[in-house]
Amino acid sequence: MSVVDSAGPRAAPAPGTGTDDDRGRRARPRGSRLSPLERTGTGTRVVITVALTLALLWTLVPLVWMVLSSFKPSEAINSAEPRWLFTPTLRHYTGLFTGGDELTPYLWHSVAAAGASAVLSVALGALAGYGPARSGMRGRKHLCCWIISTRMAPIAAVVLPLFLMFRQLGLIDTVAGLALAYLTFNLPFAIWLLSAFFADVPRALEESAKVEGCTDWQAFRHVVLPLTKSGLVTTFVLCLVFAWNDYAFALVFSGPHSQTLPIAASQLVTQSGIDWGQLCAIGTFVVVPMMLAGLAVRRWLVTGLTLGAVTGE
């Protein structure tokens, strides 16, 4: 015996009718959870949208101004009133690659030092980060916290000991010495981040590989590393950005044969004045490559930062 609602059977809404929330509930798979943004009210969404828009403008407006200024003539840059309409020129860029202060050596030093430091950080960080992720030793959480805490040490506490050691080893004013100096802040970060990624890989997969005859090294190389590819790419890009933008270590450990782009930019600020056109052009060279690298691997960055970083120990 069936019980019928006193109001009669409820008619299904016609296609294309109903509120947005109703359509969203019908389109959502059964059993799926609402995101934090979907659980908030309309007013909260408006506030979040406005805040994100302001943050986006705060980030993009200086970058757009810098790129546009690098194409402006000098008289338009130094004008008392902002000039939005101007004839673009490449004079500032050509000036960077001509004359006695050519930018090519600085660009090569930045690429070599930052790239070598990022590669070494990922390689060593993968080996060192796998231990805490799979070790059952007591206090491994405290060990990971201590490793990342070395990343937070003041630069002044690290520069003097490194300078004395590098001087004894002949690494001052060398690209190799600069890459090793960058490891002091890249390697702890890589160990901590990659350890979180390795901890997310189920142990059963490695055990299955060992049952098939793999050694510990083969299981790590053929099972763990491919599954944490997003973490490796994320760590590499972040370490590359940290080293590429460094100024303090480059100022202390570099010289005429190893100076990087941030040092070249600082040399444009002299007592006689500031060449804003060339300074904006160098700034574009510093910012744009890292932005393009981030856009090229944005899928890996989003996956990596949401997979392992939030569960890092």
Side-chain angles (χ1 to χ4, degrees):
M1 180 177 180
S2 61
V3 179
V4 181
D5 191 356
S6 59
R10 182 176 298 176
T17 63
T19 63
D20 293 339
D21 292 338
D22 293 336
R23 289 195 293 269
R25 293 190 186 96
R26 291 196 299 271
R28 185 178 297 108
R30 181 175 298 177
S32 62
R33 296 182 179 180
L34 295 175
S35 66
L37 187 59
E38 291 175 330
R39 291 196 296 266
T40 58
T42 304
T44 305
R45 295 181 188 179
V46 172
V47 173
I48 294 176
T49 302
V50 172
L52 292 177
T53 303
L54 292 177
L56 184 64
L57 292 176
W58 179 270
T59 303
L60 291 182
V61 168
L63 295 177
V64 173
W65 178 88
M66 179 182 64
V67 174
L68 290 178
S69 298
S70 67
F71 293 100
K72 284 185 178 181
S74 299
E75 56 273 12
I77 297 176
N78 298 323
S79 175
E81 298 180 356
R83 294 188 183 180
W84 303 105
L85 299 178
F86 58 90
T87 302
T89 179
L90 295 176
R91 182 172 55 188
H92 303 304
Y93 288 95
T94 56
L96 293 176
F97 295 95
T98 57
D101 297 329
E102 188 179 356
L103 193 65
T104 303
Y106 299 95
L107 182 60
W108 160 247
H109 297 157
S110 291
V111 172
S117 177
V119 170
L120 288 175
S121 297
V122 173
L124 298 177
L127 297 175
Y130 182 73
R134 287 293 182 262
S135 175
M137 69 178 195
R138 297 177 58 183
R140 64 186 182 91
K141 294 183 178 180
H142 301 289
L143 176 62
C144 292
C145 291
W146 177 81
I147 290 174
I148 192 60
S149 67
T150 60
R151 174 69 171 80
M152 307 173 190
I155 295 178
V158 180
V159 166
L160 182 58
L162 283 179
F163 182 83
L164 295 177
M165 289 188 294
F166 282 15
R167 186 177 62 179
Q168 294 295 328
L169 297 174
L171 295 175
I172 300 296
D173 193 16
T174 63
V175 175
L178 199 56
L180 292 177
Y182 291 158
L183 282 178
T184 57
F185 58 79
N186 271 342
L187 186 56
F189 175 78
I191 295 174
W192 174 77
L193 188 59
L194 289 176
S195 178
F197 284 105
F198 294 147
D200 286 337
V201 178
R203 294 176 180 265
L205 297 177
E206 298 175 69
E207 294 173 355
S208 299
K210 293 177 183 179
V211 169
E212 296 295 331
C214 291
T215 62
D216 291 338
W217 169 252
Q218 290 174 337
F220 172 72
R221 179 182 177 184
H222 297 291
V223 177
V224 177
L225 290 183
L227 292 176
T228 56
K229 186 184 299 182
S230 60
L232 297 174
V233 175
T234 301
T235 305
F236 175 82
V237 173
L238 292 177
C239 290
L240 182 67
V241 172
F242 293 153
W244 181 271
N245 295 331
D246 174 75
Y247 174 78
F249 280 91
L251 180 64
V252 176
F253 297 108
S254 66
H257 301 92
S258 60
Q259 290 178 334
T260 58
L261 287 176
I263 302 298
S266 67
Q267 293 176 354
L268 293 175
V269 181
T270 61
Q271 295 180 351
S272 59
I274 302 175
D275 191 339
W276 289 107
Q278 289 193 355
L279 189 61
C280 291
I282 290 183
T284 303
F285 267 106
V286 173
V287 173
V288 170
M290 294 300 100
M291 292 181 62
L292 295 178
L295 291 175
V297 297
R298 62 186 180 277
R299 179 169 64 92
W300 300 108
L301 282 174
V302 173
T303 304
L305 290 177
T306 55
L307 173 64
V310 296
T311 59
E313 296 174 327

